[in-house]
Amino acid sequence: MSKKNQKRQRSRTVKLKRQAEQEKLAGEKERAKNRWNPAGRALLYIDLVFLAVTSLLAGNGLISELVSGVCTVIGVILLLAALWLLFGKGGTGARKGPHL
């Protein structure tokens, strides 16, 4: 093989490696962009557990209907806050969370 042909092969290999690295970085950036806000995710989990416990207590008659209703309203407010944290803070048009 001539030296000229070897140089061509190396440059092509380097280009392929560089392209593969760029694709890998682009994939990582896309995944990082689609991650949920940790505060919103924690609030969502806490709210779901809160609503589940409230419904179990109300179903077994351990809390009154009035307390159950108040807890449900609080749960819905917390749910809306969690959804706003996860999906609502768009800012200048660049969304920071996964799209609905």
Side-chain angles (χ1 to χ4, degrees), residues 13-25:
T13 305
V14 169
K15 284 180 185 178
L16 289 174
K17 286 181 182 178
R18 196 174 296 148
Q19 183 181 8
E21 288 176 12
Q22 288 176 350
E23 289 174 358
K24 182 180 175 184
L25 286 175

Side-chain angles (χ1 to χ4, degrees), residues 45-55 70-72 74-75 78:
Y45 290 148
I46 290 168
D47 180 48
L48 291 174
V49 170
F50 174 73
L51 286 172
V53 168
T54 302
S55 95
V70 169
C71 288
T72 302
I74 291 170
L78 289 175

Side-chain angles (χ1 to χ4, degrees), residues 5-68:
N5 194 21
Q6 287 178 349
K7 286 182 182 178
R8 285 184 188 159
Q9 283 185 339
R10 274 192 225 133
S11 66
R12 184 173 36 157
T13 305
V14 169
K15 284 180 185 178
L16 289 174
K17 286 181 182 178
R18 196 174 296 148
Q19 183 181 8
E21 288 176 12
Q22 288 176 350
E23 289 174 358
K24 182 180 175 184
L25 286 175
E28 289 174 4
K29 285 180 182 179
E30 185 67 28
R31 276 188 305 210
K33 187 176 84 172
N34 287 334
R35 273 193 203 125
W36 278 9
N37 180 354
R41 184 177 49 212
L43 184 60
L44 181 64
Y45 290 148
I46 290 168
D47 180 48
L48 291 174
V49 170
F50 174 73
L51 286 172
V53 168
T54 302
S55 95
L56 284 173
L57 291 174
N60 289 329
L62 298 173
I63 58 175
S64 68
E65 291 295 320
L66 178 64
V67 174
S68 175

